[in-house]
Amino acid sequence: MGNPIRKFHLVCLCTAGSVIAAGIPATVSAQDSGGADLRDAIVVTGSRIQRDGYDAPSPLTVVDADALADAAPTNVADYINQMPQLVGSSTLRTGNGGTSGGAAGLNLLNLRGLGANRTLVLIDGQRVAPSTQTGGVNINNVPSALLERVDIVTGGASAAYGSDAVAGVVNFIIDENFEGIRANIMGGVTDRGDNKNYALSAAFGHAFANDSGVFLASVEHQHEDTIPFVDRDWYNFTYLVPNPAYAPGNGEPRQIVSPNVYYNNVAQGGVITTTGLAGTMFGQGGEPLPFVYGTIAGNFMLGGNAWNEGNVVALTPEIDRTNVWARVAYEFSPAIKATLEGGWGTARTINRAAYQRYAGNLTMSASNPFLPQSVRDQATTLGVTSFRYGYSTYDLDVPVNDIERANYRIVATLSGEFGDDWNWSAYYQYGHSDIRVELLNSTNRARFTE
């Protein structure tokens, strides 16, 4: 397994006229074999120093092709999301509980937790059209089969790109010197027999016109079966909740982690949370029943009415995606080089989302004809005309996200060199994203008030 970040350890003590650095043998003299005086230089040794990042004017993390090949991830995002500065990014296994954001199945990089729309994603230094309504770029569309390396900048220099690079820049560098054919097939399944998945990719590179021109192309396809719910054998409804025993100055923590945590204002058939009817829940067929309260902890409770649908959220959506990418470049002379690049990606994601949960924030008329007669009579006696209640849509079947995406990108670039130290570059890019998000088994909140 390759390391995502090249690391080195340096311990040095600098004093007037001398330098002691880890890795320098004790017998090294103040002069090397060529007679150069080392007393005014700090010598750092270490075969694993990544010079590409170490010499950069801004802090730069470089993930090279060897590290990616050693890890053999299904998607390049699966690998780089393990890096500390990208922990918290949206992956295929996060954001699946949302019902309307359309984020299921996306790989969105989120540097330093500032948001995917503040992380600028580039391919060879050029911007990529966003894949979401909020400006995030889906890394699934990057031609990972032809990557040479990934550069990640989180220093102040990234702000030169604009407000969408406040968190930093992730630059995917294509191996423009690749020649030949490369193919990769991988597949897997969990030890529970679910989440069957496979990925196919192929890359092609060819130089022509006496190496003045280069043609590159890649194609990728990935399929992943869903894991539709959390295994009840080990999921015990553990949450981080306010500590009921906390009071200022009593030494108790403000929050605790506890199993068997349930909502105190939600029930499968609904529970009334206000007025003299509070604590009335509805069971099978709308039968009025007493709601059993546990130890209150904010909107939660420890113990009590054992209803929490957290285990029904899919761990992984069903995904089918295909990407095609190609580039042709021709160098007319060192002064001018023309490049034309195009990419197309499509994906469909089907995902079981979380049940819609109304945590005590619905209003119902006490004269609602669907209420049991005994509850309406009791409301009349108490002078109650409406009340608040909490409800989970478990009896309306699980919501399902069905999302289709298509992304197109065309880039035309002119670049070249002139003089001894000057180069120039200009490019035009057209990007287009089509997104269809369909949510099945959702509810109309306004109808609850009738």
Side-chain angles (χ1 to χ4, degrees):
M1 179 70 71
N3 290 323
I5 308 175
R6 301 301 187 190
K7 300 179 180 178
F8 70 96
H9 299 278
L10 170 66
V11 179
C12 65
L13 171 66
C14 301
T15 59
S18 67
V19 173
I20 303 173
I24 302 178
T27 57
V28 171
S29 65
Q31 292 187 339
D32 62 11
S33 58
D37 194 341
L38 298 181
R39 287 176 295 181
D40 295 327
I42 296 177
V43 179
V44 180
T45 65
S47 61
R48 302 186 69 194
I49 294 176
Q50 174 52 258
R51 300 304 300 177
D52 290 339
Y54 193 70
D55 286 341
S58 297
L60 178 66
T61 300
V62 179
V63 180
D64 60 23
D66 291 339
L68 292 173
D70 290 343
T74 303
N75 185 288
V76 64
D78 295 337
Y79 183 79
I80 63 176
N81 278 331
Q82 301 176 59
M83 305 176 71
Q85 60 267 55
L86 285 163
V87 171
S89 296
S90 295
T91 69
L92 302 183
R93 292 173 176 80
T94 62
N96 294 325
T99 55
S100 58
L106 291 177
N107 272 311
L108 303 176
L109 300 182
N110 183 1
L111 277 169
R112 298 189 288 185
L114 296 180
N117 59 337
R118 291 292 179 261
T119 299
L120 181 61
V121 175
L122 307 174
I123 296 180
D124 281 343
Q126 298 172 337
R127 292 174 182 262
V128 181
S131 309
T132 69
Q133 304 92 316
T134 56
V137 175
N138 187 10
I139 307 306
N140 293 338
N141 296 325
V142 173
S144 56
L146 280 169
L147 283 182
E148 178 182 347
R149 68 180 192 274
V150 183
D151 296 342
I152 304 173
V153 182
T154 58
S158 64
Y161 286 95
S163 61
D164 54 348
V166 168
V169 180
V170 181
N171 190 11
F172 294 89
I173 307 299
I174 304 298
D175 184 2
E176 60 181 14
N177 297 316
F178 175 74
E179 189 162 4
I181 299 176
R182 175 192 297 148
N184 186 51
I185 301 175
M186 65 177 66
V189 63
T190 72
D191 58 7
R192 298 294 182 95
D194 54 14
N195 194 219
K196 295 177 182 177
N197 61 87
Y198 64 86
L200 313 172
S201 67
F204 173 77
H206 177 66
F208 59 92
N210 295 321
D211 293 337
S212 295
V214 176
F215 175 75
L216 298 171
S218 73
V219 60
E220 302 175 25
H221 177 73
Q222 178 188 357
H223 170 82
E224 188 161 344
D225 283 352
T226 182
I227 301 178
F229 52 83
V230 178
D231 192 336
R232 289 292 295 271
D233 291 341
W234 59 264
Y235 181 71
N236 61 356
F237 309 105
T238 295
Y239 283 77
L240 176 67
V241 297
N243 184 2
Y246 169 77
N250 71 349
E252 289 283 341
R254 287 180 177 268
Q255 294 180 305
I256 58 173
V257 175
S258 174
N260 302 317
V261 174
Y262 310 108
Y263 284 89
N264 63 36
N265 49 15
V266 176
Q268 179 177 348
V271 57
I272 300 175
T273 59
T274 61
T275 75
L277 300 171
T280 301
M281 64 177 288
F282 303 100
Q284 189 71 27
E287 178 188 4
L289 298 170
F291 185 84
V292 180
Y293 288 94
T295 302
I296 302 299
N299 285 330
F300 301 95
M301 60 184 180
L302 312 182
N305 184 62
W307 171 249
N308 186 323
E309 71 278 11
N311 65 301
V312 301
V313 178
L315 284 179
T316 300
E318 178 183 336
I319 298 174
D320 280 284
R321 68 174 183 88
T322 301
N323 297 335
V324 178
W325 180 92
R327 173 192 289 173
V328 60
Y330 190 86
E331 186 177 55
F332 296 94
S333 71
I336 185 168
K337 178 181 178 180
T339 303
L340 181 64
E341 173 185 327
W344 170 79
T346 183
R348 184 177 185 186
T349 303
I350 300 176
N351 179 61
R352 287 166 51 108
Y355 288 101
Q356 290 181 283
R357 183 187 303 115
Y358 297 99
N361 58 358
L362 291 174
T363 300
M364 180 179 288
S365 170
S367 61
N368 190 304
F370 293 99
L371 282 173
Q373 186 63 48
S374 60
V375 175
R376 284 189 284 166
D377 292 343
Q378 187 180 1
T380 300
T381 302
L382 295 172
V384 173
T385 58
S386 65
F387 51 79
R388 306 279 281 182
Y389 76 108
Y391 170 65
S392 171
T393 62
Y394 185 81
D395 55 340
L396 300 180
D397 204 358
V398 64
V400 176
N401 278 317
D402 188 346
I403 306 172
E404 290 185 356
R405 301 182 179 89
N407 301 92
Y408 312 85
R409 181 174 182 262
I410 299 175
V411 186
T413 305
L414 291 174
S415 60
E417 302 174 355
F418 63 94
D420 294 332
D421 300 313
W422 294 86
N423 57 68
W424 64 277
S425 177
Y427 72 95
Y428 172 81
Q429 176 180 193
Y430 173 79
H432 181 85
S433 296
D434 291 323
I435 307 172
R436 180 191 65 82
V437 180
E438 184 177 3
L439 177 61
L440 307 176
N441 300 327
S442 60
T443 56
N444 185 340
R445 179 171 177 172
R447 297 291 178 87
F448 285 100
T449 63
E450 297 178 354

